[in-house]
Amino acid sequence: MGHSRDIPADLTRNQGLVLGALTGSGAPLSAYDILDQLRSEGLRAPLQIYRALDKLVERGLAHRLESLNAFVACTDAHCHRKGLIAFAICESCGKVDEFADTVIEERLAAWAGSTGFTVGRTTMEIRGRCAACLGA
Amino acid sequence: MGHSRDIPADLTRNQGLVLGALTGSGAPLSAYDILDQLRSEGLRAPLQIYRALDKLVERGLAHRLESLNAFVACTDAHCHRKGLIAFAICESCGKVDEFADTVIEERLAAWAGSTGFTVGRTTMEIRGRCAACLGA
DNA sequence: GCCGCGGCGTTATGCTATAACGTAATCAAA
DNA sequence: TTTGATTACGTTATAGCATAACGCCGCGGC
Ligand SMILES: [Zn+2]
Ligand SMILES: [Zn+2]
Ligand SMILES: [Zn+2]
Ligand SMILES: [Zn+2]
């Protein structure tokens, strides 16, 4: 079992608030969702959220889910933020499961090698239903 | 080498126009890009484009690229639209390469089996530079 | 005829993201 | 200590992506 990631102390106030909102949510949040939650803290403009998100994503503390236009806090204590990360997104409850698979990564590297493509960022997102929701 | 896909005859006028725009482009197009191209054909509203795109994507004739909020015509003559499709997107020239990898698909199925997750749609998008652009 | 269905056109609206401007705090070099 | 570079911040305005809701029309089956 993974323990939850330590929160760095050097976050700015806005960054801390945004990360807190993400961490406290059981599902991905859009920037505007986050903004709504943080109006009580004095935040008013989307840009305040986006700027904080940029930094958090850059540091691997949060991830952007392209297929949802939304964000989640990173749940991986062991920092596999290097390399490919896959996300399994439950369309029923919103829960997001984050995992890495070196075989897939190798497979991708092999394809890239054979075609001369230089890989930058890779996004992999699986939509479906989690075990809990399937049982219910 | 793949031959290019036959265009089904039963497309509506709008669907045909939209698919034509995508096919004629060397890079992904947003719905609004397409709309701008088709104003000369009498199309005026985003919804006309989105409705056509919905049908084209549903039939596997076009694909949505989540990381770009844009669309491409399917370039695969052999209809691997069943199963996982990966896209390699060149950030320099915009070219999109579409491919399938059964090993990755199996890997994903294995992960799903072990966690009880039921896989629906999967999106896999690789950003980087294509061989041609790297040479230049 | 009549109905159901799918596509169409239009207007209005909502959601997502960034541009452009100026301010303030911090830190290091000069 | 002044200077300049850097980084975050706050605000307003705007750009870009997507859908709701309405009514109309044409076509097939019954
Ligand atoms: Zn993570
Ligand atoms: Zn679930
Ligand atoms: Zn395809
Ligand atoms: Zn290229």
Side-chain angles (χ1 to χ4, degrees):
Chain A
M1 298 295 301
H3 55 79
S4 72
R5 171 194 292 280
D6 291 329
I7 296 179
D10 64 340
L11 295 178
T12 66
R13 166 173 157 84
N14 286 5
Q15 288 163 17
L17 286 169
V18 169
L19 183 54
L22 288 177
T23 304
S25 166
L29 297 176
S30 76
Y32 283 76
D33 291 337
I34 297 170
L35 177 57
D36 286 339
Q37 285 194 28
L38 296 182
R39 283 189 199 283
S40 57
E41 300 289 345
L43 299 201
R44 297 158 205 269
L47 211 46
Q48 296 176 286
I49 311 299
Y50 281 109
R51 289 203 272 231
L53 284 169
D54 281 347
K55 291 302 177 192
L56 294 173
V57 168
E58 193 178 305
R59 296 180 55 167
L61 298 172
H63 302 291
R64 175 184 173 80
L65 299 176
E66 304 283 2
S67 66
L68 296 178
N69 292 330
F71 301 82
V72 287
C74 178
T75 57
D76 179 68
H78 303 292
C79 297
H80 55 52
R81 76 180 88 130
K82 297 292 180 199
L84 186 150
I85 311 176
F87 299 93
I89 304 165
C90 177
E91 295 188 302
S92 179
C93 68
K95 190 163 95 40
V96 175
D97 208 337
E98 178 181 345
F99 67 98
D101 186 310
T102 53
V103 173
I104 292 178
E105 210 163 345
E106 284 159 15
R107 229 23 223 175
L108 221 56
W111 178 88
S114 73
T115 59
F117 191 92
T118 303
V119 175
R121 189 169 58 91
T122 298
T123 85
M124 187 161 181
E125 300 177 13
I126 308 163
R127 313 285 291 272
R129 295 193 103 205
C130 74
C133 285
L134 211 65
Chain B
M1 300 293 301
H3 56 79
S4 72
R5 171 195 291 281
D6 291 329
I7 296 179
D10 64 339
L11 295 178
T12 66
R13 167 174 158 83
N14 286 4
Q15 288 163 19
L17 287 170
V18 169
L19 183 53
L22 289 177
T23 304
S25 167
L29 297 177
S30 75
Y32 283 75
D33 291 337
I34 298 170
L35 177 57
D36 287 339
Q37 286 195 25
L38 296 181
R39 283 189 199 282
S40 58
E41 300 289 344
L43 299 201
R44 297 158 206 267
L47 210 47
Q48 296 175 285
I49 310 299
Y50 281 109
R51 289 202 273 231
L53 284 169
D54 281 348
K55 292 301 176 190
L56 294 173
V57 168
E58 193 178 305
R59 296 179 56 167
L61 299 172
H63 302 291
R64 175 184 172 79
L65 299 176
E66 304 284 2
S67 65
L68 296 178
N69 292 330
F71 301 83
V72 287
C74 178
T75 56
D76 179 67
H78 302 292
C79 296
H80 55 52
R81 75 181 88 131
K82 297 291 182 198
L84 185 150
I85 312 176
F87 300 93
I89 305 165
C90 177
E91 295 188 301
S92 178
C93 69
K95 189 162 94 44
V96 175
D97 208 337
E98 178 180 346
F99 67 99
D101 186 309
T102 53
V103 173
I104 292 178
E105 208 163 348
E106 285 159 14
R107 238 8 232 179
L108 220 57
W111 177 88
S114 73
T115 59
F117 191 91
T118 302
V119 175
R121 189 169 58 91
T122 298
T123 86
M124 187 161 182
E125 300 176 14
I126 308 164
R127 312 286 291 271
R129 294 193 105 205
C130 74
C133 286
L134 211 65

